Amino acid sequence: MLLHWPQLSPNQRLSCRRYLSLTLGMVVMALSGSLFSFASFSGDLKARFGFSSSSINLLSAIGDTSMYVGFLIVGPVYDHYGGQWTLIIASVLTFLGYGGMFAAYTQAWGGLSLLMVIYALAGIASTAGYLAALATNMANFSDASSGTVSGVLLAFFGLSASLFSQIKTQLFSGKDELVGPNETFRGTVATQAFLLFLTIVTTSVYIVATIFMVKVRKDTEEESSKVDPAFESSKDTTKDFEIEGILRSSTIVLPANGELNALEYSSPKAAEAKNHLLPSHQDETTKCNPFLTLVEMRPKQVVVSATFWFFVLAQLLQQGFSYINNIDSIVEAVLDHDHPYSPSKAVALTGLHVTLISVGNCAGRLISGIVSDWVIHRFQVSRSIFFLASEVLILVPLAMMSRAVSLPELILNSCLIGATYGATGALFASMTRDFFGVQYYGTNSGLVMVLNGLNPIIANQIYGVFYDRASVANVVTSVLDDRGQQNCFGQACYVTGFRVALVLQIVCVVFAAGLFCVHMRQGRRKATMVIAT
């Protein structure tokens, strides 16, 4: 007996393509964050090549920086050639990046300079996969659900560090490897296998996504809507739905001066849409959210807009990265080192806090995206209000770290830092669309993100400088570890650095408040002009 599968309607086929792309986007996002698992194998790189700690930190910084700078390279590629070509670039670069590290590690050839170039290629590949997954799926769904889509995708990006660190620990730990008296291989063979694993998995998934993760064609959507039986039930209902769709899908192009003093719709039926929606103010406000209607801004217009600079400066000054990146030394400083089990307890607590930060990061991305979609649809307010709220919440853990903290307080701080950092990361994607549109999404994202690459450098330098000063000034409370590095104990190790970070975060909140005010004013002006048309 033959099984007869029900024939899918055009709308159902369209939904299947969208959600298949979204599912692949989640996997691509998880792989794109594999770069953040560097700490899990950095010790073997150090042993294999004989690097110092400063050299390893420099190599790690190159990878992080290349991710931000990579937006300026892959952003225009996505805008002009689409997601498929962006993923092809990701496939090639991740093969050269991780594959190059595998070859260099296996043969122990090359030096720091070569590894910096190779790791930079892996960083750019990560950005290409990130952007292709994010931009493709943001374009496949309506602007009203952009927060949810970006939140889901970036939740997987936030979990990737923990995922690959656990894979390295559980499957490629190398703890059972025996080193013979004549053994010349420094480092572990397990790390060699892990780098090969990263090369194969990331390259393969990017290639698969190149084929199946596609942007749904707009003409396919319009064609499917015409044959939907629901459209034939009522002429008036159909009219309302079509015109609302025209308004939602029409592109609003800013004039050359970038001001919102005129609205120019690309759809030839835009005039009909406006005339149909304008009889009452109530109809207009319920059918058109001025904070979600797409405003297509060219990159030249973006860089001279007040919205752009408030957005960039707020992200540049956002603090908390120093807490995330130095949680191990913070835990060491907080612990009572007179206790005989402090060293082992420090290792266990560091792992706990890394997990709390990672889970909080994931939850913050997911919740902020979903809740922001619902709130702005229900109350018609700028999504940047959630960005402002997140920046204000970051003040809480920074203020607590500006004095002596206990271990329970440190747990609360890790949860807050992880959640707020995750929220701002997810909101960035949907806010960029809200502010500047989708036509130049790749390039505009690059413009917003490139200066953000300085944030880790600023944060780490602030923490590192005051930590080192405290180590030197308080010799009684600092000791040399088994690697000859100076570790600092007590509140003096972190208090001053976080006080400076607190001041910078207050300035960040000011810029975030300015961003909210500017976008609210633009939205109200836009709504007023549409009603007056």
Side-chain angles (χ1 to χ4, degrees):
M1 182 177 179
L2 296 177
L3 293 176
H4 297 281
W5 295 98
Q7 184 177 1
L8 297 178
S9 68
N11 276 339
Q12 290 173 326
R13 291 197 297 269
L14 189 67
S15 295
C16 288
R17 293 173 61 189
R18 280 175 172 167
Y19 286 101
L20 174 61
S21 293
L22 181 61
T23 302
L24 283 172
M26 298 175 191
V27 179
V28 169
M29 277 292 189
L31 292 175
S32 296
S34 61
L35 204 75
F36 297 120
S37 64
F38 179 82
S40 64
F41 60 88
S42 61
D44 283 333
L45 284 178
K46 181 178 179 181
R48 182 67 170 154
F49 293 93
F51 290 152
S52 64
S53 295
S54 61
S55 297
I56 283 293
N57 287 328
L58 177 59
L59 181 60
S60 176
I62 289 297
D64 293 339
T65 303
S66 66
M67 291 183 66
Y68 293 104
V69 177
F71 271 98
L72 293 181
I73 300 173
V74 300
V77 172
Y78 177 85
D79 290 337
H80 290 87
Y81 302 103
Q84 276 66 44
W85 277 105
T86 307
L87 284 168
I88 290 173
I89 292 175
S91 303
V92 173
L93 292 184
T94 197
F95 179 80
L96 294 176
Y98 283 134
M101 292 193 72
F102 164 74
Y105 184 88
T106 301
Q107 302 297 327
W109 51 263
L112 180 61
S113 298
L114 176 63
L115 286 180
M116 287 169 61
V117 173
I118 293 173
Y119 201 49
L121 294 179
I124 298 173
S126 177
T127 301
Y130 172 100
L131 181 60
L134 181 63
T136 298
N137 286 286
M138 291 276 282
N140 282 346
F141 292 85
S142 68
D143 51 350
S145 60
S146 63
T148 301
V149 173
S150 63
V152 169
L153 290 170
L154 292 172
F156 281 83
F157 187 76
L159 281 176
S160 57
S162 293
L163 172 65
F164 282 95
S165 293
Q166 286 299 314
I167 290 175
K168 175 66 172 69
T169 301
Q170 301 299 325
L171 303 179
F172 303 96
S173 64
K175 60 183 179 181
D176 297 327
E177 294 183 19
L178 299 178
V179 180
N182 299 322
E183 181 63 56
T184 59
F185 190 94
R186 292 180 297 175
T188 63
V189 178
T191 290
Q192 177 182 337
F194 181 66
L195 292 173
L196 180 60
F197 168 79
L198 284 177
T199 304
I200 295 174
V201 172
T202 54
T203 304
S204 301
V205 172
Y206 286 160
I207 292 174
V208 171
T210 301
I211 302 172
F212 295 103
M213 192 177 73
V214 297
K215 185 185 295 186
V216 176
R217 292 173 58 88
K218 293 297 182 182
D219 54 355
T220 303
E221 183 177 6
E222 293 173 1
E223 181 181 354
S224 65
S225 64
K226 291 179 183 179
V227 299
D228 194 330
F231 282 68
E232 299 176 0
S233 60
S234 170
K235 182 177 180 180
D236 292 338
T237 304
T238 303
K239 181 77 170 177
D240 291 344
F241 189 92
E242 288 178 349
I243 290 181
E244 183 180 356
I246 292 169
L247 185 61
R248 301 286 285 173
S249 61
S250 296
T251 300
I252 302 175
V253 182
L254 285 182
N257 58 11
E259 295 294 332
L260 285 168
N261 55 4
L263 295 181
E264 188 176 320
Y265 290 83
S266 62
S267 170
K269 297 183 181 179
E272 181 183 358
K274 290 189 291 181
N275 292 334
H276 184 79
L277 292 177
L278 289 179
S280 70
H281 291 187
Q282 182 179 3
D283 289 342
E284 172 58 31
T285 56
T286 56
K287 292 194 176 186
C288 177
N289 189 331
F291 302 103
L292 289 180
T293 303
L294 298 183
V295 179
E296 299 294 352
M297 294 183 67
R298 300 175 179 86
K300 291 183 179 179
Q301 296 169 335
V302 168
V303 296
V304 297
S305 66
T307 303
F308 170 79
W309 286 107
F310 276 118
F311 197 15
V312 168
L313 291 175
Q315 291 189 97
L316 178 63
L317 293 173
Q318 176 178 298
Q319 299 301 300
F321 188 87
S322 58
Y323 182 94
I324 297 173
N325 205 44
N326 296 282
I327 186 62
D328 54 344
S329 61
I330 293 174
V331 169
E332 287 274 356
V334 172
L335 279 175
D336 179 9
H337 284 266
D338 293 332
H339 195 282
Y341 299 105
S342 287
S344 59
K345 187 176 181 181
V347 173
L349 282 176
T350 298
L352 170 64
H353 283 276
V354 169
T355 301
L356 290 175
I357 292 171
S358 180
V359 173
N361 189 289
C362 176
R365 292 174 188 267
L366 191 59
I367 294 173
S368 65
I370 296 174
V371 174
S372 67
D373 274 348
W374 182 84
V375 170
I376 62 177
H377 177 73
R378 177 68 177 80
F379 299 102
Q380 294 200 357
V381 66
S382 171
R383 197 187 306 270
S384 58
I385 191 172
F386 290 91
F387 183 78
L388 173 59
S390 298
E391 300 296 357
V392 172
L393 281 176
I394 293 179
L395 292 173
V396 176
L398 293 179
M400 294 177 68
M401 293 301 299
S402 298
R403 57 175 179 78
V405 295
S406 62
L407 288 177
E409 290 175 331
L410 203 62
I411 291 176
L412 175 62
N413 288 348
S414 294
C415 294
L416 285 174
I417 288 287
T420 51
Y421 239 76
T424 55
L427 291 169
F428 151 77
S430 50
M431 287 168 61
T432 301
R433 173 174 175 163
D434 292 346
F435 297 158
F436 312 126
V438 296
Q439 185 175 353
Y440 303 98
Y441 185 84
T443 303
N444 291 339
S445 295
L447 293 174
V448 174
M449 288 295 290
V450 64
L451 288 180
N452 204 26
L454 297 175
N455 181 282
I457 299 175
I458 295 173
N460 278 339
Q461 285 299 310
I462 291 174
Y463 179 86
V465 167
F466 291 105
Y467 182 90
D468 290 341
R469 287 183 180 178
S471 297
V472 174
N474 301 287
V475 180
V476 176
T477 59
S478 62
V479 299
L480 291 174
D481 62 11
D482 55 0
R483 294 169 295 178
Q485 296 178 334
Q486 193 83 15
N487 286 341
C488 184
F489 306 135
Q491 67 180 47
C493 309
Y494 57 83
V495 166
T496 306
F498 279 104
R499 286 174 180 172
V500 175
L502 178 62
V503 173
L504 291 178
Q505 183 63 28
I506 293 174
V507 180
C508 168
V509 170
V510 172
F511 283 114
L515 175 66
F516 172 70
C517 293
V518 168
H519 196 228
M520 286 294 294
R521 185 172 65 249
Q522 290 178 346
R524 293 192 185 104
R525 187 188 309 167
K526 189 192 308 179
T528 302
M529 287 187 295
V530 172
I531 293 174
T533 303

